[in-house]
Amino acid sequence: LRAVDVAQATGVSTATVSRALRGLPGVSAAVREQVVRAAAELGYRISHSASSLASGRTMTIGIVTPYIDHWYFGQVIAAAEREFAAAHYDVLLHSLPDNDARIRFFQQLPPRDRVDALLVLIVPDDDELAGLASLGVPIVSVFGGPTPLPSVGIDEEGAVSTAMRHLIELGHRRIATIGRTGADPMRFSTPHLRRTAFRAELRSAGIEPDPTLEVDGDYTVPGGAAAMNALLALPERPTAVFAQSDEMAIGALGSLSRHGLSAPHDVSIVGIDGHDMAAAVGLSTVAQPVQELGALAARTLVQLLVDPSMAVPGRTELPTSLIVRDTTAPLSGTPRPGHRHADGVAGPLAVTAVGSRAE
Amino acid sequence: LRAVDVAQATGVSTATVSRALRGLPGVSAAVREQVVRAAAELGYRISHSASSLASGRTMTIGIVTPYIDHWYFGQVIAAAEREFAAAHYDVLLHSLPDNDARIRFFQQLPPRDRVDALLVLIVPDDDELAGLASLGVPIVSVFGGPTPLPSVGIDEEGAVSTAMRHLIELGHRRIATIGRTGADPMRFSTPHLRRTAFRAELRSAGIEPDPTLEVDGDYTVPGGAAAMNALLALPERPTAVFAQSDEMAIGALGSLSRHGLSAPHDVSIVGIDGHDMAAAVGLSTVAQPVQELGALAARTLVQLLVDPSMAVPGRTELPTSLIVRDTTAPLSGTPRPGHRHADGVAGPLAVTAVGSRAE
DNA sequence: CTGTTAGCGCGTTCAC
DNA sequence: GTGAACGCGCTAACAG
């Protein structure tokens, strides 16, 4: 079923059909109504490829993300997709979870010719940036660090500072961090930023950073558990842990429990993210407005599309907020690293992950 | 940069360029190599819209999902996307998180003309099914219940049976379930299936289902917590809880802890899913192979595309597996509903969510 | 306000 | 094995 059919049924030309259906000016109300009605009755739909070929517009926005199945990216993508759908844009999704996928993607640049704009969630290196720029479409990115692209994100230093000051004000001075210390195959900027900020925050509190208190948690739940295991094996344990993501923090809580320890009794733990599960396990954390980040980036992109003459924005940072729950507490005199619960629980090892405000 | 340019650079016609670049037979090896080289040097890329318009193929597969930012759907989508990318298909993503979005989607049917196939993660009603069928492309779905569409999923009754028999074999007879009892705006089939199976399983163990032990958890973490609150307020508490999702189970664990109770000491809890966080909190659960579900559905779709004469598959069910962790234990003589830990923990309320195997 | 005329760039017959 | 010619269905510029 083509535009000609609607044109014949209405007694007008295909050009008028096109104008009428797209709401363009230059069509009398009467004709427009007839055309719209006829199209509806016939069940006519514009052919996307023909329309794109003729107009150069695709009404599609590409999202380039490292992961779909990670909490943070899922939240951002979902919020962005909602905005795009509201603006009548479809979403083409590209996930680059490993280096192979990433290399293939940048060799072929599949969005070429297929999208009107790009929402970028990976941190591109210079070559990748050049590749993306060569597509000649507006780009907005969502992530932590400084970047040549227009971006939205949070103030990473500020978020780390909030978490650290919380611990320091509680009297903690022997503070460990769980983050990424090794190589980062995905080249995220966040791990480096947060680690650097962690050290800076210690120094400004007059505490000299201790390298043995910086351990790798791979930004995953099991990684966080392994990291906490390592910290617990230290001759002199930390009294507080700043986990650079809630997932690592939750892994750390699990590790604690398997050692018969608990937060905040044996060690205070604070995370970053505002993960759904953080509320369930009572984790204190610095929440970032993930959905707002995705929505704002998406809206910016849509505006850029509506008004191409608009000034390209720089970076926008959204506020984070400290949520104190039950895994952080004042340093109580002497830490009791070897303490074990005497609660007669039936399970093999008692965990004390404390919760509140979850409902 | 168009095919003509490559043709001129090589001294052949655009027809030959097209054949050479797509690996079609009928081109001499020498010519093909020249064309390929010239195309690479010039940086020529086929125009997607022109190609689609001329061939009718879009090399794109649509995914219709209720959510992106829910664990289950994120896993399925990520796995499917990976398969599609490997087969050189792009992914058009449509999320229908609420009824409005859903109605808009089915009114406009955006994938029309834009996709070669559809992966459906929502449970369509009859009208919606007709709409999808009208697109005239292969469809495969991923979900629980019976459906007219080719589908992959798990044996819901079997999974419930596995969870329930685990509890029953531990000696539990007063078993509650947390699921969805109210209206389901998304029309998922799973809640009904699991609730029905729950009752059937009780009866086959000679236990008469008690309606007061079926509570609503909204399939969310806070919903699970609220549900557990309700169960704890009962005059006669259950000794075990079958949560119909891990997220609800984790919410329930949080509720327990806020009441000074713990699993499996005061009540055993088993979930369904195999959620990442289940390992972290030591939740016993019936794991379903989420990624395999997505990958299998995707592969099936690709095969259908490669060989349209292939017999349309019916339903494939993948096995689930019981993972016993630390929230389920034998019914120990008399339950102690009022018990409180005497562990002197610093936090306001002690939780005993027990973990293992998380690392 | 509306119709006519050219493309948009490629795929695909058919001849050769 | 290769080229010429037409068509996919729509949009945009121009003419009226």
Side-chain angles (χ1 to χ4, degrees), chain B residues 7 13 16 32 45 62 92 117 124 131 160 192 231 245 255-256 262 264 269 286 321 323 327 350 354:
Chain B
S13 70
T16 300
R32 164 164 290 136
R45 307 278 144 169
L92 207 52
V160 171
H192 180 69
L231 290 174
S245 80
S255 160
L256 272 188
S262 71
I269 298 190
V286 178
S321 60
I323 302 179
T327 57
V354 189

Side-chain angles (χ1 to χ4, degrees), chain A residues 144 146 154-163 193-194 196-197 200-201 317:
Chain A
I154 59 169
D155 172 6
E156 294 287 350
E157 282 84 3
V160 171
S161 178
T162 301
L193 288 169
R194 293 189 182 168
T196 306
E201 209 58 38
E317 294 193 335

Side-chain angles (χ1 to χ4, degrees), chain A residues 43 45-50 52-53 58-60 68-69 71 74-75 77-78 81-82 85-86 88 90-95 97-98 104 107-110 112-114 221-222 225-226 229 246-247 250-251 254-255 257-258 262-265 275-277 279-282 291 326 329 336 339 341-359, chain B residues 43 45-50 52-53 58-60 68-69 74-75 77-78 81-82 85-86 88 90-95 97-98 104 107-114 221-222 225-226 229 246-247 250-251 254-255 257-258 262-265 275-277 279-282 291 326 329 336 339 341-359:
Chain A
R45 306 280 144 167
I46 295 177
S47 154
H48 177 79
S49 356
S52 301
L53 180 57
T58 64
M59 293 309 285
T60 305
I68 300 161
D69 55 349
W71 178 81
Q75 297 286 323
I77 294 170
E81 199 271 351
R82 201 180 281 246
H88 302 289
D90 288 337
V91 168
L92 207 52
L93 184 67
H94 291 284
S95 171
D98 53 54
R104 275 202 307 269
Q107 273 174 355
Q108 324 200 347
L109 245 16
R112 189 190 298 267
D113 250 297
R114 299 212 55 181
V221 175
N229 288 347
D246 281 356
E247 280 166 291
I250 291 172
S255 160
S257 94
R258 282 184 288 285
S262 71
H265 184 231
H275 194 292
D276 298 330
M277 290 289 176
V281 301
Q291 282 135 93
D326 315 310
R336 296 185 275 170
H339 173 80
H341 300 166
D343 60 2
V345 160
L349 285 173
V351 168
T352 305
V354 188
S356 78
R357 313 186 195 189
E359 37 208 314
Chain B
R45 307 278 144 169
I46 294 177
S47 153
H48 178 78
S49 359
S52 301
L53 181 58
T58 64
M59 293 310 285
T60 305
I68 301 161
D69 54 351
Q75 297 286 322
I77 294 170
E81 199 269 354
R82 201 181 283 245
H88 302 290
D90 288 336
V91 168
L92 207 52
L93 184 66
H94 290 284
S95 171
D98 53 54
R104 275 202 308 268
Q107 273 175 354
Q108 324 201 347
L109 244 18
R112 187 190 301 265
D113 250 295
R114 300 212 54 182
V221 175
N229 287 346
D246 282 357
E247 280 165 291
I250 291 171
S255 160
S257 94
R258 281 184 288 285
S262 71
H265 184 229
H275 194 292
D276 298 329
M277 290 289 176
V281 301
Q291 282 132 93
D326 316 310
R336 296 185 276 169
H339 173 79
H341 301 164
D343 60 2
V345 160
L349 285 174
V351 167
T352 306
V354 189
S356 77
R357 312 186 195 190
E359 36 209 313

